[in-house]
Amino acid sequence: MRILLVGGNGTIGRKVAAALAGRHELIIAGRNSGDVRVDIGSQDSIAALFNEVGVIDACICTAGTGFYGAFATMTAEQMRPGLDGKLMGQVNLVLIGKGFVREGGSFTLTSGIASELPARNGTAVAMINGAVNSFVLGAAQELGQDRRINAVSPGLVEDSFERYGANFPGYDLVPMAKVVNAYRLSVEGAITGKIVKVY
Amino acid sequence: MRILLVGGNGTIGRKVAAALAGRHELIIAGRNSGDVRVDIGSQDSIAALFNEVGVIDACICTAGTGFYGAFATMTAEQMRPGLDGKLMGQVNLVLIGKGFVREGGSFTLTSGIASELPARNGTAVAMINGAVNSFVLGAAQELGQDRRINAVSPGLVEDSFERYGANFPGYDLVPMAKVVNAYRLSVEGAITGKIVKVY
């Protein structure tokens, strides 16, 4: 398959790329690195990405994050980059990219455990992840039989432990191999409209 | 209790108002009608609302809607009013309003069945409702024991059947009394961090 992986140099994307590279033609997109550049917060940038890359069999997005911080002082402005990026960035990859994904192809987005078990200070991220999950449920119906779409919802992944582990006490550490498998299940399997929980 | 009801002249809000009016001091806020005016899409308007209303025991929001329409041609621009209103409007009511809600008080937001069972053409609404639900899970943790927060997630309500019923084939019609009870459960009960599904 010809696969576009947006965020392919991130913590999860790197491992997904390594797992897919041998079997597929992989195009890595990233904000500051990769085969092609994209800022998923910009619709123009996403349109330019697809025009450059052309027809693909699968689009995976492992890019985007959200605000972590004190709820007492949290503002809509702090939430905005996550809304524009991890939420609407992924939505726009689907809305703009669906014409570039072959029949039988798929989208795989990324949400996360916060949608149902938010960490302290993680309400903004919870909101985004819940939104991505429900978007996928709707989009799967609309894409119908022709194109599939799923979300992978990872917990605290091994490779993030050093940086973020202290913020997630009691969250089981998820092996990278298990996370990678979830993306493979979505891309190479037959499921659609699923939230693949990896936690 | 002193209760601020945002969207109190809408389909659901009207019935919630009627049920609460006898037992509580009710302040109805609406975009074009009510005791006080508010545009929940504007943070300034929300701040002005709370400054005008002052300290309350409960804030209920039944305002806000989202885009329904063809997925094939759906754009981020079409989704924006719902994101700014039903999603961030409700979020901002909490972020801005939490200093005006007494200890022991509560927020009650509104999501909807689309978060898990989207209607055809309802992907944007699904996304918003999923976001509201997960926001409530996070916010409930952050507000802690002092202030409660829940979401009421209604299905297709009786009073919307004439206008919207044709778009929701197979959705059970929810009696208004049942929907109203869910808001009472959140406001007058002890629950927090709950998605009260009424379908």
Side-chain angles (χ1 to χ4, degrees):
Chain A
M1 292 186 210
R2 191 158 192 266
I3 301 176
L4 172 63
L5 173 53
V6 179
N9 283 308
T11 305
I12 290 175
R14 218 175 296 144
K15 295 296 169 75
V16 172
L20 296 177
R23 281 188 302 277
H24 302 286
E25 179 193 347
L26 202 58
I27 304 151
I28 306 281
R31 184 150 37 178
N32 304 307
S33 61
D35 305 312
V36 286
R37 301 296 154 92
V38 66
D39 168 11
I40 61 168
S42 156
Q43 292 183 67
D44 289 345
S45 180
I46 290 174
L49 169 71
F50 281 107
N51 282 320
E52 183 177 347
V53 169
V55 175
I56 54 176
D57 297 290
C59 174
I60 303 171
C61 182
T62 56
T65 181
F67 175 76
Y68 276 98
F71 186 80
T73 55
M74 190 168 79
T75 64
E77 284 65 39
Q78 290 172 322
M79 302 171 83
R80 179 60 56 190
L83 267 174
D84 290 344
K86 185 169 182 179
L87 177 52
M88 291 308 294
Q90 295 199 93
V91 166
N92 281 322
L93 280 172
V94 177
L95 296 183
I96 297 168
K98 63 189 187 302
F100 294 86
V101 171
R102 273 198 198 95
E103 281 200 20
S106 66
F107 288 95
T108 306
L109 308 186
T110 301
S111 58
I113 189 171
S115 66
E116 55 176 15
L117 293 171
R120 183 171 285 119
N121 294 328
T123 299
V125 174
M127 186 189 86
I128 289 166
N129 291 344
V132 169
N133 286 346
S134 291
F135 172 80
V136 162
L137 298 186
Q141 300 182 154
E142 301 289 342
L143 293 170
Q145 302 304 307
D146 296 339
R147 287 165 192 82
R148 299 177 302 104
I149 181 168
N150 301 289
V152 174
S153 179
L156 175 62
V157 301
E158 274 177 345
D159 290 6
S160 292
F161 183 71
E162 208 173 319
R163 254 197 306 174
Y164 299 122
N167 303 323
F168 297 90
Y171 286 74
D172 285 327
L173 210 51
V174 178
M176 297 311 292
K178 213 174 159 190
V179 179
V180 166
N181 253 349
Y183 288 91
R184 285 195 63 195
L185 178 62
S186 176
V187 173
E188 300 179 5
I191 60 172
T192 191
K194 301 299 182 196
I195 315 305
V196 186
K197 299 180 187 181
V198 195
Y199 49 85
Chain B
M1 291 186 211
R2 190 158 192 265
I3 301 175
L4 173 63
L5 172 55
V6 179
N9 284 307
T11 305
I12 290 176
R14 218 176 295 142
K15 294 295 170 76
V16 172
L20 296 177
R23 283 187 302 278
H24 302 285
E25 179 193 346
L26 202 58
I27 305 150
I28 306 281
R31 184 153 33 180
N32 304 308
S33 60
D35 305 311
V36 284
R37 302 296 154 92
V38 66
D39 168 11
I40 62 168
S42 156
Q43 292 183 67
D44 289 345
S45 180
I46 290 173
L49 169 71
F50 282 108
N51 283 320
E52 184 176 346
V53 169
V55 176
I56 54 176
D57 297 289
C59 174
I60 303 171
C61 183
T62 56
T65 181
F67 175 77
Y68 277 97
F71 187 81
T73 54
M74 190 168 79
T75 64
E77 285 65 39
Q78 291 172 321
M79 301 171 85
R80 179 61 55 189
L83 267 175
D84 290 345
K86 185 169 183 180
L87 178 51
M88 291 308 293
Q90 294 199 94
V91 166
N92 282 322
L93 280 172
V94 177
L95 296 183
I96 297 168
K98 65 188 185 303
F100 294 87
V101 171
R102 273 198 198 93
E103 281 199 21
S106 67
F107 288 95
T108 306
L109 308 186
T110 301
S111 58
I113 189 171
S115 66
E116 55 177 14
L117 292 172
R120 183 171 285 117
N121 293 330
T123 300
V125 173
M127 185 188 87
I128 289 166
N129 291 344
V132 170
N133 287 346
S134 291
F135 172 80
V136 162
L137 298 187
Q141 299 181 153
E142 300 288 342
L143 293 170
Q145 302 304 307
D146 296 338
R147 287 165 192 83
R148 299 177 300 104
I149 181 168
N150 301 290
V152 173
S153 179
L156 175 63
V157 301
E158 275 177 345
D159 290 5
S160 293
F161 183 71
E162 207 172 320
R163 253 197 306 173
Y164 299 121
N167 302 323
F168 297 89
Y171 285 74
D172 285 327
L173 210 50
V174 179
M176 296 311 291
K178 213 175 160 190
V179 178
V180 166
N181 253 349
Y183 287 91
R184 286 195 61 195
L185 178 62
S186 176
V187 173
E188 300 178 5
I191 60 172
T192 191
K194 301 298 183 196
I195 314 305
V196 186
K197 299 180 186 179
V198 196
Y199 48 85

